[in-house]
């Protein structure tokens, strides 16, 4: 039966028991409001590990916009029911004081890969992510950790910090799960009004079309300019970025000779969506 734990001390006791029995522990870090995308990570963890912890913590440190933090959906009872059904062993749902007790003064800063794109538009975001993920690895002592490729830059930041800080966890990146019309699943999708929801899948469609043109040898700059124009025509009010970047370092890519990724962030209604695909 799934246990819901709220303190690091309780979690440590549980994990210590598992490790003493030689069990491999997997963790799926989340901020709750779970959807099929999260559940696909849970299923991957179940396949790859003997015991699975899902963490649900809406991390204030990674929200650069207080309104976004206030509006972030919180659905713990429904999340717990879904996770119990998936056969998760522990739902770890600490409160903010457990994660950031009085006197907390440390920060994990990953330079390079966290600087462009989301890093530029959301100052402090990746410091918040890197710090909480490092803490969750310390708290859970997991052998494997599962992250979605939808947050591609986040995945690269986490891989970098794990390598740099010698954290003994294997980071597993899992495919983006999409709605049948192509919209990448996201906890923010519930905030889309019906018109925006109908228009939102255009982002993925346009990325796919651009990727196909690039694979066919088209020049990068005009393809990207055309894609930005199409995203705006499709009903998005703002395109924060739509760029071709090297897959691991996220440096600007001027050709698809090396592994590259098309990444975009755009706002529709009052919801900012991100998506990315390989090229
Ligand atoms: O991707 C998320 O949901 C969050 O950024 C994470 C990894 C759980 C850290 O708070």
């Amino acid at each position: 039966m799934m246990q819901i734990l709220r303190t690091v001390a309780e979690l440590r006791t549980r994990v210590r028991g598992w490790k003493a029995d030689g069990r491999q522990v997997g963790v799926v870090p989340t901020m709750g409001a779970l959807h099929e995308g999260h559940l696909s990570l849970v299923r991957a963890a179940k396949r790859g590990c003997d015991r699975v912890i899902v963490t649900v913590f809406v991390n204030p440190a990674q929200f650069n916009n207080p309104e976004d933090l206030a509006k972030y959906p919180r659905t713990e009872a429904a999340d717990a029911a879904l996770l119990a059904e998936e056969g998760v062993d522990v739902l770890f749902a600490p409160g903010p004081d457990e994660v950031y007790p009085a006197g907390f003064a440390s920060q994990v800063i990953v330079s390079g890969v966290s600087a462009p794109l989301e890093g530029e538009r959301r100052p402090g975001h990746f410091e918040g992510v890197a710090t909480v993920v490092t803490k969750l690895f310390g708290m859970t002592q997991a052998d494997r950790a599962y992250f979605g490729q939808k947050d591609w830059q986040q995945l690269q930041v986490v891989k970098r910090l794990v390598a740099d800080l010698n954290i003994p966890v294997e980071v597993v990146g899992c495919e983006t799960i999409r709605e049948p019309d192509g919209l990448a699943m996201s906890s923010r999708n519930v905030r889309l009004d019906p018109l925006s929801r109908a228009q939102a899948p255009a982002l993925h469609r346009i990325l796919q079309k651009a990727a196909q043109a690039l694979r066919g040898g088209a020049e990068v700059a005009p393809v990207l300019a055309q894609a930005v124009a199409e995203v705006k025509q499709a009903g998005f009010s703002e395109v924060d970025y739509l760029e071709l970047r090297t897959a691991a370092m996220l440096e600007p890519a001027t050709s698809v000779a090396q592994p590259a990724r098309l990444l975009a962030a755009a706002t529709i209604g009052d919801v900012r969506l991100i998506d990315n695909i390989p090229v």
Side-chain angles (χ1 to χ4, degrees):
M1 209 171 96
M2 186 178 82
Q3 272 191 309
I4 301 180
L5 303 180
R6 303 208 182 262
T7 68
V8 178
E10 291 169 307
L11 181 67
R12 280 262 166 80
T13 305
R14 197 86 177 90
V15 172
R16 212 177 294 126
W18 292 339
K19 296 234 163 177
D21 292 342
R23 308 288 186 201
Q24 291 273 301
V25 179
V27 65
V28 181
T30 82
M31 297 204 298
L34 303 180
H35 49 64
E36 275 299 316
H38 297 110
L39 299 184
S40 76
L41 303 179
V42 170
R43 288 169 198 147
K46 289 278 298 174
R47 285 194 298 275
C49 308
D50 305 311
R51 295 288 180 269
V52 173
I53 304 168
V54 175
T55 69
V56 172
F57 177 63
V58 182
N59 174 32
Q62 70 187 77
F63 285 81
N64 53 315
N65 175 350
E67 215 180 295
D68 194 25
L69 172 61
K71 281 197 209 157
Y72 202 83
R74 288 162 174 86
T75 56
E76 191 186 300
D79 293 345
L82 287 171
L83 296 175
E85 198 148 312
E86 294 295 331
V88 165
D89 297 284
V90 165
L91 162 55
F92 180 56
D97 294 345
E98 184 68 11
V99 179
Y100 301 112
F104 184 85
S106 303
Q107 222 188 1
V108 178
I109 298 171
V110 181
S111 51
V113 68
S114 62
L117 307 175
E118 292 299 298
E120 215 172 301
R121 273 73 179 190
R122 303 179 66 190
H125 169 67
F126 282 126
E127 286 75 5
V129 170
T131 303
V132 83
V133 166
T134 303
K135 285 173 66 66
L136 292 170
F137 290 159
M139 292 169 180
T140 60
Q141 307 280 304
D143 300 289
R144 278 184 211 95
Y146 296 78
F147 293 85
Q149 293 182 355
K150 193 200 138 231
D151 293 294
W152 182 262
Q153 190 175 9
Q154 168 173 283
L155 178 60
Q156 308 317 310
V157 169
V158 172
K159 284 185 172 169
R160 186 75 257 160
L161 79 85
V162 162
D164 289 355
L165 303 180
N166 305 101
I167 300 177
V169 65
E170 181 193 338
V171 177
V172 183
C174 301
E175 291 259 323
T176 302
I177 304 296
R178 298 181 181 278
E179 301 287 355
D181 59 13
L183 177 65
M185 290 205 186
S186 161
S187 303
R188 290 190 168 85
N189 292 353
V190 295
R191 289 179 36 219
L192 291 167
D193 62 65
L195 175 64
S196 303
R197 173 63 191 83
Q199 293 171 326
L203 184 60
H204 179 237
R205 248 189 342 262
I206 294 162
L207 286 178
Q208 277 183 311
K209 188 177 144 201
Q212 204 174 358
L214 293 171
R215 278 186 219 113
E219 224 182 292
V220 176
V223 168
L224 298 183
Q226 168 76 17
V228 169
E230 286 177 11
V231 171
K232 288 188 175 155
Q233 276 158 22
F236 284 77
S237 55
E238 226 167 288
V239 181
D240 274 1
Y241 57 82
L242 193 161
E243 293 187 23
L244 184 71
R245 295 267 168 165
T246 59
M249 293 303 297
L250 296 175
E251 284 160 345
T254 47
S255 80
V256 293
Q258 72 251 292
R261 206 94 193 163
L262 265 178
L263 302 103
T267 301
I268 189 154
D270 67 344
V271 184
R272 184 176 183 274
L273 299 178
I274 61 171
D275 203 348
N276 71 86
I277 57 169
V279 178

